[in-house]
Amino acid sequence: MNIVTILGSGTSTGIPILGCNCEVCNSTNPANSRLRTSVFLTTALGKNILVDTTPDLRFQLLTHKPDSIDAVIMTHDHADHTHGIDDLRPFSFYQKKDLPLYCSPETAESLRRKFDYIFNPKPVIGGGIPQLKLIEIPFAPFAIEQEEFEFFSLPHGRIQTTGFRHRSLAYLIDCHDVPDELCEKLNNHPLDWLIIDCVKPDPHDTHLGFDKTIEIIKKIQPKQAGLIHMGHEWDHDQLQLRLQRNGLFEAVPLKDGDILQYR
Ligand SMILES: [Zn+2]
Ligand SMILES: [Zn+2]
Ligand SMILES: [Zn+2]
C-alpha cells in the first residue's frame, strides 16, 4: 500500500487566521486548526515524496518526522506552497546529495527568481543553503524515484498549477476548474482517493467553491474524496454534514495529520 499523510489542510493564511475572531478561528475543535496545504507520500516501494514546502514546513515535519526526503514536487509558486523551502536544508545536508525538486517550467522560472540565493548562489563565507536540483516536468507520464506519475496543468486564476496522479491517488489543488477531458481521464482510472480543493462555500476566482468541488467529484467518481485547502468559512463538522446532505457519503473534509492509504 501507498500512504498519503496530510501535513496541512488549510488555505493560504492557515486557520486560525492571525487576528480573526470568527467562530472557526476561535474553535476548540482541533479539526478546525489547519496548517497550509501540503501532503507527504510514502510509497509502497519505500520512497518519501514531499508535495510543496509551506511556511509551516518545519512544524509539519517535526510532527510527521520523516527520516528522509527522496524528492519534492512543487505544485506552483504561491507563498503558501513555497515559503518553507529553506527548511529542506537539513535533508540535503544529511543525505549528502542534491534533493530533486520537480515542477512545471513556469514554476521553475519563478522559483529561480524568488529564491535566487538557492538557485543562483553567489560565493559567500558562512551560511548554508538547501542543495536542490530543479527538474522541469512534462505534462505526461513521468517517473520520479521509479514511481510513475502523471501531471496535469490546472487553471488557478491567471496562472497554472500542477496536479498529479500517482497510482490510485489524484491530487488537484489550487485550481478554479478541472477541464472535462481530465475529469473523464480520471474517471476512467479507478481512484482510491481524490484529494481536491474546496476553499469556500461560494464560487471563487482562483479556487473551487463547494458546488464546483462536488460537481467535479461526481464527474470523476473516486472511491473516496478528501477536501483540502479550506478557509475559515468552513467548520469541519458542518462541511461534513453538507457533503452528506448532497449525497456525498464517501467524501470527507481532510484534517491535518490524516493518513490515507491507496493502492
Ligand atoms: Zn494555496
Ligand atoms: Zn476567522
Ligand atoms: Zn495558489
Side-chain angles (χ1 to χ4, degrees), residues 76 80-81 174 207 229:
H76 62 302
D80 54 325
H81 299 263
D174 286 60
H207 286 271
H229 211 295

Side-chain angles (χ1 to χ4, degrees), residues 10-12 36-37 76 78 80-81 156 173-174 197 207 229:
T11 191
S12 56
R36 265 59 76 96
T37 285
H76 62 302
H78 283 166
D80 54 325
H81 299 263
H156 180 32
I173 58 153
D174 286 60
D197 191 307
H207 286 271
H229 211 295

